[in-house]
Amino acid sequence: VPSIVLDSLNDGDQFLLEPEENNKNYIYKVSDICTLPGSRFENLRHKINRFYKNHAGRLNLQDLDLSEGSTQAIIKSSLSDWLAETANSDSVYSESQIIDRQMAYSKDLGTNTLGIFIDGRLQAFCIYHDLPQEDYIIGNHIKCNYHFRYIFDYIFYALAHQVSKNGIKYINGEQDLGIESIRQHKQEMRPDHFLKTYTVKPKHSTTQFESQS
C-alpha cells in the first residue's frame, strides 16, 4: 500500500509494515528539471547541454496523437528499428506490446505523447497522463533511440517544460522494480522525493487470533 494509507491503520500493534524499496515511486519537481539549478544538477545539465549542442537545428518537438493511425505506424516502425539494435530485446519487445495496447485504447485512457524528431525521423517519445491530483502527471513510457547519446535525459527535460505550461508541478517517474540500471538512471535524474509503498501484514497469525476467540 502507498504511505498515505498508513495513517488509516490506527492500531500499530496489529500490523507489520515492510518497506518495498523496489516499488517506491520517484517524484520529480518540474521546476527543478526545467531550471537544473546548482551543483546537484550539474551532471544532468551537462548531458542536456551536450545533446542540444550536438543536434540543435535538427531537433523538432511534437505533440503526438496516439489515436491517429499515422502516429501509430510511426511509433511501431521506430520501436521495431530500436528493438533490432538493443541487446535486451526481450524487455523492449514486452514493453512494445504494452504500448500497442495503450495506442489501441488511447482515447479511453486519456494519454498524452511527446515526440522528438531528428532530421524528420522520430527518435524518442514519452507517453504520460494526468493524475487526479491537478499538479501531477505520471510518465508511463519513455522510449528512445540510444544511438543519440543523452536523448533520454533530453526528452525528460523537454517533458518538464511541456507540462509546466499547464501548471504541473510534479512528475511521477514510477518505480525502478529493483532493476539496478533503471534505479541508477532514475537517481541520476535527481528526484525531489519518493512515494513509498509498504507491505502490510498482521503481527499475529490467523491461528493465533482463532485461539484467542
Side-chain angles (χ1 to χ4, degrees):
V1 298
S3 55
I4 194 171
V5 176
L6 299 183
D7 293 337
S8 64
L9 302 177
N10 296 322
D11 193 347
D13 292 333
Q14 291 190 25
F15 301 102
L16 290 172
L17 306 179
E18 298 179 357
E20 293 189 346
E21 185 68 18
N22 296 340
N23 289 315
K24 67 184 181 185
N25 285 245
Y26 290 70
I27 309 298
Y28 300 90
K29 192 173 182 179
V30 167
S31 61
D32 281 349
I33 303 301
C34 286
T35 58
L36 303 173
S39 59
R40 182 167 179 258
F41 289 89
E42 182 177 3
N43 188 44
L44 183 57
R45 191 166 58 243
H46 167 77
K47 292 178 180 179
I48 289 167
N49 288 338
R50 182 72 176 271
F51 178 87
Y52 185 78
K53 181 179 180 181
N54 289 342
H55 306 293
R58 303 163 57 202
L59 283 172
N60 183 23
L61 296 173
Q62 293 184 25
D63 288 316
L64 304 176
D65 186 347
L66 280 187
S67 67
E68 292 185 355
S70 58
T71 299
Q72 294 180 10
I74 291 171
I75 286 179
K76 288 180 180 180
S77 174
S78 299
L79 283 173
S80 178
D81 291 342
W82 305 340
L83 175 62
E85 296 178 3
T86 183
N88 192 9
S89 58
D90 289 342
S91 62
V92 176
Y93 178 73
S94 177
E95 190 171 7
S96 68
Q97 290 181 309
I98 297 171
I99 292 171
D100 282 346
R101 290 196 291 271
Q102 281 206 316
M103 290 192 292
Y105 298 101
S106 59
K107 287 187 176 180
D108 297 323
L109 295 172
T111 54
N112 304 282
T113 307
L114 177 66
I116 289 182
F117 291 77
I118 300 177
D119 296 330
R121 296 190 62 182
L122 181 67
Q123 302 297 355
F125 64 88
C126 176
I127 299 174
Y128 64 98
H129 70 268
D130 301 328
L131 291 173
Q133 303 94 328
E134 293 183 357
D135 49 1
Y136 277 77
I137 65 156
I138 188 166
N140 303 113
H141 305 279
I142 296 181
K143 304 306 296 178
C144 308
N145 180 356
Y146 288 101
H147 171 77
F148 297 93
R149 194 177 186 189
Y150 305 139
I151 192 169
F152 182 101
D153 308 274
Y154 189 83
I155 195 170
F156 193 76
Y157 170 75
L159 173 65
H161 277 274
Q162 181 81 348
V163 301
S164 69
K165 300 173 186 176
N166 298 323
I168 299 298
K169 296 179 181 178
Y170 296 98
I171 298 172
N172 184 328
E174 297 194 309
Q175 311 96 331
D176 59 44
L177 302 176
I179 301 172
E180 186 58 36
S181 59
I182 296 177
R183 176 172 295 177
Q184 180 179 348
H185 204 169
K186 286 182 182 290
Q187 290 173 346
E188 289 174 353
M189 303 300 289
R190 297 295 183 253
D192 179 70
H193 60 280
F194 300 97
L195 176 60
K196 297 181 179 181
T197 59
Y198 297 83
T199 297
V200 179
K201 298 179 180 180
K203 283 186 176 180
H204 308 286
S205 68
T206 304
T207 53
Q208 286 178 306
F209 281 118
E210 290 174 348
S211 63
Q212 296 172 5
S213 61

